[in-house]
């Protein structure tokens, strides 16, 4: 498919690129919800190079499955990774920074594990029950004023 000439990282680490499960780097188009979740669960990281997002729900979905994201420093995406605390965030929004952070996920197992745990803990804050409790507390504070 010609993917290899486009990705120097794949050559350096002898990674295969394609559109099936036998590849190290999977590039896919539209997939079902079930397939999306399966792919996220087996991934080392989710690459999310969006320059503008409302939130980036896919980043939260990945975190809920223990897969940290690598995002551009852009509105929405930076919030979804807690400003780089619960995921990786590029200093500069370019493919080189994305590749640098992907290398970090491969080469720095301790940092990866830390980011993985922080991503899961951060996304747990966004449950319906937690949001309900926050709203009830806010209403109680407002009604006591």
């Amino acid at each position: 498919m010609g993917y290899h000439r486009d990705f120097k990282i794949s050559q350096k680490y002898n990674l295969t690129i394609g559109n099936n499960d036998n590849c190290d780097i999977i590039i896919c188009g539209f997939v079902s919800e079930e397939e999306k979740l399966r792919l996220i669960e087996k991934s080392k990281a989710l690459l999310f190079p969006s320059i503008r997002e409302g939130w980036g729900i896919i980043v939260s979905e990945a975190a809920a499955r223990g897969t940290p994201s690598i995002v551009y420093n852009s509105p929405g995406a930076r919030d979804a990774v807690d400003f780089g605390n619960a995921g990786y965030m590029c200093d500069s929004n370019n493919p080189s920074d994305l590749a640098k952070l992907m290398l970090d996920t491969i080469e720095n197992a301790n940092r990866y594990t830390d980011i993985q745990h922080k991503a899961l803990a951060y996304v747990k804050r966004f449950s319906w029950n937690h949001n309900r409790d926050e709203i009830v507390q806010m209403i109680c504070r407002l009604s006591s004023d």
Side-chain angles (χ1 to χ4, degrees):
M1 296 199 123
Y3 293 122
H4 282 286
R5 64 179 145 72
D6 298 325
F7 294 93
K8 292 179 184 178
I9 191 173
S10 67
Q11 294 169 344
K12 180 176 180 179
Y13 290 93
N14 198 28
L15 301 172
T16 57
I17 300 174
N19 59 0
N20 63 60
D21 277 358
N22 296 327
C23 297
D24 298 307
I25 299 171
I26 301 171
I27 298 178
C28 52
F30 177 81
V31 295
S32 68
E33 185 70 14
E34 295 80 22
E35 178 67 359
K36 175 186 78 173
L37 297 176
R38 187 187 73 74
L39 289 168
I40 287 171
E41 286 174 2
K42 71 177 278 179
S43 297
K44 183 81 169 178
L46 171 75
L47 300 179
F48 194 70
S50 177
I51 58 171
R52 188 169 191 292
E53 281 299 319
W55 175 262
I57 191 72
I58 188 71
V59 173
S60 297
E61 290 174 322
R65 283 153 184 83
T67 302
S69 294
I70 301 171
V71 304
Y72 275 177
N73 185 352
S74 62
R78 83 173 63 98
D79 298 315
V81 296
D82 190 25
F83 292 82
N85 295 310
Y88 298 85
M89 189 170 65
C90 293
D91 291 327
S92 301
N93 294 345
N94 59 53
S96 295
D97 263 16
L98 215 61
K100 180 182 84 176
L101 291 174
M102 191 63 218
L103 282 172
D104 196 41
T105 67
I106 295 168
E107 295 175 342
N108 191 338
N110 290 337
R111 180 167 187 243
Y112 176 79
T113 300
D114 184 49
I115 291 284
Q116 197 176 27
H117 291 280
K118 286 179 179 178
L120 189 54
Y122 183 63
V123 78
K124 284 181 178 180
R125 294 178 42 202
F126 302 105
S127 71
W128 289 113
N129 290 338
H130 178 78
N131 290 345
R132 179 200 63 219
D133 295 345
E134 291 282 321
I135 291 169
V136 168
Q137 288 175 14
M138 180 183 70
I139 291 169
C140 289
R141 281 192 309 268
L142 290 173
S143 64
S144 67
D145 289 343

